[in-house]
Structure formats: C-alpha cells, structure tokens
Amino acid sequence: MDKKSYRQQAGYTLIEMVLVLVIISVLAAVSMKNLGQVDDVAKTEETKLEMDQLTYAMVGNQVLVSAGKRIDYGYLGDVGALPTSWDDLTINPGGYTTWDGPYMRDRFISALGADNEFKLDAWGKGYSPPGGITFQATGGIDPITRQISANTSNLLYNRLNLTVTDLNFVPPGPDNSDSVRLVLSYPDGVGGIRTKIVHPSANGTARFDSIPIGIHLLQTIFDQTGDTLRQKINIDPGQDYYADIQHFATIWAAAGAGAGGLAGSEILRPDGLGSAATL
C-alpha cells in the first residue's frame, strides 16, 4: 500500500475530534437554552390561567349570566369580604353560615387530603397573600401581577338607589313614607347577615350605601297593611344601582285620588291609619 492510499483510509485526527465535540456542545447548549425559554413561556401561561381561576374564585366570573343577570360573585359575593388567606377558598374560615365553597379545586389532591396545588405558581412558589386588589406570582424570571379590581370601593362600597310607588306610580307622600320600610340583607364580611333599613322620602326615593357585590335580598314593607314585596338585587362592581319598586295595588292612594285608585283600595287618613271607606 502506498502512502497516498494510507492517508485516504486514515481516521479523524485529534484536533478534528475536538472541533466536532465543541460544535456539538455549542449546539446542545443553544438547544437547552431554547427549551428552557419554551418551558418558561409554558409555565408563565399556566400561571396566568391559574391566577384567572383564583380571581374568579374570589370575586366571581362576570360572564356567567342567566336570564340577563350575573349569577357568580365568588367568595366575596357570599361572605361580603375578600379572603384573608388562600385556604379560605377551600375551607370555611370559621363556621361562616354564608360561606358556600369550595370556590377553588385542585387538579391534584395532596397526601394530607387538602387542596394545596392552587396556592403555588407553575414554578412551585406560593402566590402572594390575597386581601387586596392585586396579587402576584414571583416564581418566574419576572413577577406576574393580577389585578382583580380597579379599587376596593368597586367591590365593597357600592350604592343602591330606589324609587318606591304604588300601582299607579304614586309615591308614599309625607303621610305614609315613615310607614314604608326598605330592608336590605347582605353578607356582613364575617360569616353572617347584615340588615339595613331605610325609609323612603315623601317622593319615594331612598338609598343604601356601602354595599358589597353579590345577589342580595330586598324587602319593601308597608307597615299599615303588612304588604311586602321581596326581590333579589344584583350589585355589580363599581355600580350605582337604580331600581323602581312598584307595589301591586294603590295601597297608599291619598284621599281625593278619585278615579286614579283601584276599586276596593283603602283611603288613608292624614295620620296614616286606614278608614273603612273605599274608592
């Protein structure tokens, strides 16, 4: 075999092998970096999705509607306050009678039998505590902030404006306004029910302040006759709610209303007490 044939059949030199290994290492490093970036993006999206679910658990999902009205207000709608810990979403925080959870469920149940996975972001780090209008996930390269409301007032301090009339759209007037009670019942923030009572003005207008979001019971009671209207009121975030409350009869038609009242309606004397006369 001549020298030329020998050189053609020889293998790689050491330098060539080293160069190949260097190139492979560089390509592997680049690939691992890209895979890490893809994994970080996936974890970011998973965390954002879970933070959305936590927000719905706390304050409800506004797109859940039935008969044109929102039906989901989450923990806040039932309790009247934001949770003070993530555990409040799965465990009744203290025998609250208005708590109707669990509001959040894990995809996995821990060995201790408690839901815990939802409290951790995709990197395994706990979310910042609830209770304010924002919370954060800090396990990734950059913190992720989720805002649940523009401000606390939008969640806890809304207004309910009402106008009360009878069947003929007549307000109670000065003689009967004190005999009309508007009774609003809503969760008090610590597991019970708070009741507020207001009397309308002579022209029938009334207002409730500092009302949390949720579906609350409103009763309109005319003490002279015992007539009572009951209805559900939906209070949405940041809402200045208005409603007309109309009784089903001319229960406080003033004397002299004439044909404006229904047959059989009682005529009220100025002292608010009913007479035996009817229209």
Side-chain angles (χ1 to χ4, degrees):
M1 180 181 295
D2 58 21
K3 293 183 178 180
K4 183 178 180 180
S5 299
Y6 178 79
R7 286 196 299 268
Q8 290 176 344
Q9 296 178 12
Y12 293 107
T13 65
L14 179 60
I15 294 176
E16 289 173 331
M17 291 292 292
V18 170
L19 287 174
V20 170
L21 290 175
V22 169
I23 292 171
I24 292 174
S25 298
V26 171
L27 291 174
V30 171
S31 298
M32 291 300 295
K33 182 178 180 181
N34 289 337
L35 287 175
Q37 291 174 342
V38 170
D39 183 59
D40 196 61
V41 170
K43 288 182 176 180
T44 297
E45 294 306 312
E46 179 183 348
T47 297
K48 287 180 177 180
L49 179 60
E50 187 169 61
M51 294 175 82
D52 287 342
Q53 297 301 318
L54 286 168
T55 299
Y56 298 150
M58 286 189 286
V59 298
N61 188 343
Q62 63 182 358
V63 303
L64 296 180
V65 175
S66 178
K69 292 186 177 181
R70 179 173 167 176
I71 60 173
D72 180 27
Y73 295 89
Y75 178 95
L76 178 53
D78 290 339
V79 175
L82 288 166
T84 57
S85 77
W86 295 118
D87 288 328
D88 293 350
L89 297 177
T90 58
I91 302 172
N92 192 320
Y96 288 4
T97 59
T98 60
W99 189 88
D100 194 28
Y103 301 91
M104 190 76 182
R105 292 189 180 275
D106 267 342
R107 290 168 295 177
F108 305 99
I109 304 297
S110 71
L112 298 177
D115 292 339
N116 289 299
E117 187 72 19
F118 74 93
K119 296 184 286 185
L120 307 176
D121 61 26
W123 296 272
K125 188 169 183 179
Y127 294 107
S128 63
I133 61 173
T134 63
F135 65 100
Q136 280 191 326
T138 56
I141 298 174
D142 298 313
I144 304 172
T145 301
R146 182 67 163 87
Q147 184 167 348
I148 64 175
S149 177
N151 52 61
T152 303
S153 296
N154 284 358
L155 298 175
L156 300 174
Y157 305 111
N158 299 286
R159 291 187 294 187
L160 171 59
N161 303 285
L162 304 168
T163 299
V164 184
T165 63
D166 67 7
L167 185 62
N168 286 343
F169 300 101
V170 177
D175 296 326
N176 301 306
S177 58
D178 287 344
S179 297
V180 179
R181 285 181 293 138
L182 296 167
V183 183
L184 183 67
S185 301
Y186 58 94
D188 62 6
V190 289
I193 294 293
R194 175 176 295 149
T195 300
K196 279 187 177 181
I197 301 175
V198 300
H199 297 278
S201 63
N203 64 6
T205 59
R207 169 180 286 181
F208 291 94
D209 288 308
S210 303
I211 307 302
I213 64 172
I215 304 173
H216 310 314
L217 174 64
L218 175 67
Q219 300 180 80
T220 307
I221 304 169
F222 186 44
D223 291 328
Q224 296 297 333
T225 63
D227 286 294
T228 302
L229 296 178
R230 294 179 177 87
Q231 63 192 100
K232 297 291 187 178
I233 298 293
N234 289 63
I235 301 297
D236 292 334
Q239 187 175 46
D240 201 353
Y241 187 95
Y242 176 80
D244 287 309
I245 309 299
Q246 187 179 21
H247 274 276
F248 48 81
T250 55
I251 57 175
W252 51 60
L262 293 180
S265 297
E266 188 176 33
I267 299 175
L268 300 179
R269 293 195 292 265
D271 60 5
L273 299 176
S275 71
T278 57
L279 296 176

